[in-house]
Amino acid sequence: MHKSLVILGSQWGDEGKGKIVDLLTEKVDYVIRYQGGHNAGHTLVVDGQKTALHLIPSGILRPHVSCVIGNGVVLSPKALVKEIKMLEERGHSVVDRLHVSSNCPLIMQVHVALDRAREAARGDAKIGTTGRGIGPAYEDKVSRRGLRVTDAMDPVRFAAKARELMDYHNFILSNFYHAEPVDVEVMIEETLDAVNYFEGAVCDTVDLVHRSRRDGKVMLFEGAQGSLLDIDHGTYPFVTSSNTTAGGVATGSGLGPRYIDAILGITKAYATRVGSGPMPTELFDSVGEHLALKGQEVGTTTGRGRRCGWFDAVAVRHAIEVNSISGICLTKLDVLDGLDEVSICVAYELPNGEVVDYLPTGDDFSAAKPIYETMCGWSETTFGITSLDEMPRGAKDYVRRLNELVGAPVDIVSTGPDREQTIVISSPFGVD
Ligand code: GDP
Ligand code: IMO
Ligand code: MG
């Protein structure tokens, strides 16, 4: 049985990672987040009850699972406490099953202020960030001026470091962006208060991961965002600020790459994107509306409408290669039910007339026109089906064609938001 399974998104996020992580944690000891922050919104539905998670790994609803926030995650203590309290109110124990890396860079009020000021300054060229301070927090990490969770363990030193950091940031906020400066003392107090709430969970998570590995524990590494939002391999600059692709597992959790056994790419049966940036298969017609409405494509974190379009097999194949995805889980197949025809983008035409079957960079991608292959749709419902035998012929043909085009086996098909509404064709753990 595979002991270290990675689950990540192969498109622009919101592929249904949370649902699948929750489903698979039945067999898992640890779920580990390794990048991103509370920009993520992962929705779990169990017996009809919906839970939206942003920072806490999607294993938390299973009482036997321990959850780890690895060093690669940018951590907002305030957001974490809010989420812990939400879960506690629903009767879940959290702090005793949560492990937070002492090396996580902190997101504080200043990062949110900078995120918003930068977006406002960009005007029409804005990235459409979630406004959670993710980019500025990663900038502080890379510039080596940022504060980490461990700094908050010593309040006096923390306050001194924070004041020094804020001399710099408030200067930029006031003089460059002409925005309100952030109240340093309030920020320090709020951060320390919040960290205090989960202090018992703070530890060396790299050591924890390796002890668990040596003890033969089963670990699931939960990605946030999607491969096309990766800072290096995505549609730069319209990306998030972390490595959402598989390399991020190693840097963001300390698990060496050779210890990864399998990588499951969560892949929506069509395409969606939130925020700005190119999306060649975006639809502005009644089919786009069908996908948005039937798929309830509204952001879990910001409540923004998601842009919808046909499945982009070129983009997904890129994701399969940069991640070395071993199998895919196709989600939201049911959303395509009832369409007369379904199209798949199989190549792009560039402005110079050249046809390419790979992801072009920069301006070429922005101008790429999709070349489609169109198939018959299906009128029957796939909603909630749990076996391949129940799948209508048209849907089967579609899944088979996607499989051929992207070059990775379809291990799981998801047919509804609930944990149970799933067809497992082949266990991603390598056992049945
Ligand atoms: P994540 O960020 O990748 O975890 O995905 P989100 O939770 O942001 O968005 C996926 C949305 O689709 C959520 O509202 C899920 O409840 C829902 N969902 C997941 N799988 C399916 C599915 O197979 N069918 C339908 N109809 N909804 C699904
Ligand atoms: P999950 O984990 C979809 C997008 C934002 C914006 C860009 C940069 O739920 O799939 P950021 O706030 O990260 O600096 O924003 O990335 N984005 C997401 N889109 N799903 C997400 O997470 C996202 N997290 C960030 O909309 O375009
Ligand atoms: Mg989401």
Side-chain angles (χ1 to χ4, degrees):
M1 179 181 178
H2 296 330
K3 295 292 175 86
S4 298
L5 175 68
V6 175
I7 292 199
L8 46 75
S10 67
Q11 292 147 315
W12 281 286
D14 302 326
E15 296 91 348
K17 299 175 291 294
K19 169 191 161 158
I20 301 301
V21 171
D22 168 67
L23 168 79
L24 295 177
T25 45
E26 193 182 359
K27 297 179 177 150
V28 163
D29 301 301
Y30 288 89
V31 180
I32 300 125
R33 276 277 311 265
Y34 52 89
Q35 48 69 231
H38 64 306
N39 49 348
H42 297 176
T43 317
L44 285 49
V45 183
V46 182
D47 298 331
Q49 202 201 18
K50 203 177 198 176
T51 307
L53 298 173
H54 303 283
L55 259 176
I56 295 182
S58 300
I60 200 73
L61 300 190
R62 308 264 193 186
H64 70 277
V65 171
S66 294
C67 290
V68 180
I69 297 183
N71 57 278
V73 172
V74 278
L75 186 94
S76 158
K78 256 173 97 173
L80 181 58
V81 170
K82 189 170 162 208
E83 204 164 313
I84 293 172
K85 287 185 174 165
M86 178 273 291
L87 287 162
E88 285 174 345
E89 271 162 29
R90 291 175 176 216
H92 301 285
S93 69
V94 180
V95 181
D96 57 330
R97 291 190 289 130
L98 184 67
H99 308 276
V100 177
S101 168
S102 50
N103 286 345
C104 286
L106 290 173
I107 299 185
M108 298 182 287
Q109 188 50 38
V110 63
H111 301 110
V112 176
L114 283 165
D115 196 353
R116 296 194 175 151
R118 285 194 190 144
E119 284 286 89
R122 277 175 161 262
D124 287 347
K126 71 171 193 267
I127 289 163
T129 70
T130 59
R132 299 296 189 267
I134 304 297
Y138 276 119
E139 285 170 38
D140 268 0
K141 165 182 168 171
V142 174
S143 70
R144 297 167 290 187
R145 73 170 94 87
L147 298 177
R148 293 170 151 195
V149 168
T150 186
D151 291 310
M153 299 297 138
D154 180 341
V156 175
R157 275 191 59 208
F158 176 81
K161 281 189 178 181
R163 287 183 195 118
E164 194 183 322
L165 178 76
M166 291 304 292
D167 280 348
Y168 172 74
H169 283 317
N170 269 341
F171 180 83
I172 305 278
L173 275 171
S174 308
N175 297 299
F176 187 76
Y177 291 113
H178 305 295
E180 282 295 305
V182 169
D183 187 322
V184 188
E185 299 310 316
V186 170
M187 190 188 88
I188 292 170
E189 196 183 321
E190 280 183 358
T191 306
L192 290 173
D193 274 358
V195 172
N196 197 33
Y197 194 83
F198 59 83
E199 203 175 332
V202 176
C203 68
D204 178 346
T205 54
V206 177
D207 179 53
L208 175 69
V209 161
H210 285 288
R211 261 186 296 119
S212 310
R213 181 184 61 74
R214 289 192 298 267
D215 289 347
K217 302 285 187 206
V218 181
M219 293 183 285
L220 197 158
F221 294 82
E222 176 182 13
Q225 291 81 53
S227 302
L228 299 167
L229 290 171
D230 183 281
I231 185 75
D232 288 292
H233 302 291
T235 50
Y236 188 89
F238 300 101
V239 292
T240 191
S241 298
S242 64
N243 281 115
T244 58
T245 48
V249 176
T251 54
S253 75
L255 184 83
R258 282 201 308 121
Y259 295 126
I260 297 174
D261 293 318
I263 303 177
L264 185 68
I266 311 299
T267 307
K268 210 179 267 193
Y270 49 98
T272 63
R273 170 162 211 174
V274 201
S276 324
M279 178 182 176
T281 65
E282 184 170 10
L283 293 168
F284 301 95
D285 58 5
S286 59
V287 176
E289 228 164 82
H290 168 110
L291 299 174
L293 282 176
K294 195 157 185 189
Q296 299 186 325
E297 295 296 352
V298 175
T300 313
T301 297
T302 57
R304 290 180 290 175
R306 297 174 184 151
R307 301 154 63 192
C308 298
W310 292 123
F311 188 88
D312 189 335
V314 185
V316 172
R317 200 163 51 229
H318 167 77
I320 284 171
E321 287 173 345
V322 295
N323 288 298
S324 63
I325 284 173
S326 44
I328 66 174
C329 163
L330 194 68
T331 60
K332 303 190 88 160
L333 182 67
D334 54 292
V335 175
L336 299 177
D337 293 351
L339 290 173
D340 296 334
E341 288 183 333
V342 282
S343 295
I344 305 169
C345 170
V346 293
Y348 303 127
E349 186 185 332
L350 303 185
N352 65 4
E354 194 188 344
V355 172
V356 298
D357 65 355
Y358 58 82
L359 207 73
T361 50
D363 289 345
D364 272 348
F365 187 64
S366 306
K369 290 211 166 48
I371 295 177
Y372 289 118
E373 193 175 291
T374 298
M375 307 171 66
C376 287
W378 55 95
S379 56
E380 305 91 331
T381 180
T382 62
F383 185 73
I385 62 171
T386 53
S387 82
L388 273 182
D389 300 339
E390 295 170 86
M391 196 183 284
R393 170 102 189 269
K396 263 190 192 154
D397 290 345
Y398 181 70
V399 175
R400 196 176 302 124
R401 187 65 188 132
L402 291 191
N403 182 349
E404 284 167 9
L405 286 167
V406 303
V410 178
D411 286 346
I412 299 177
V413 179
S414 171
T415 59
D418 203 281
R419 198 190 257 174
E420 306 298 328
Q421 294 170 319
T422 315
I423 305 171
V424 180
I425 299 166
S426 167
S427 166
F429 293 106
V431 290
D432 291 315

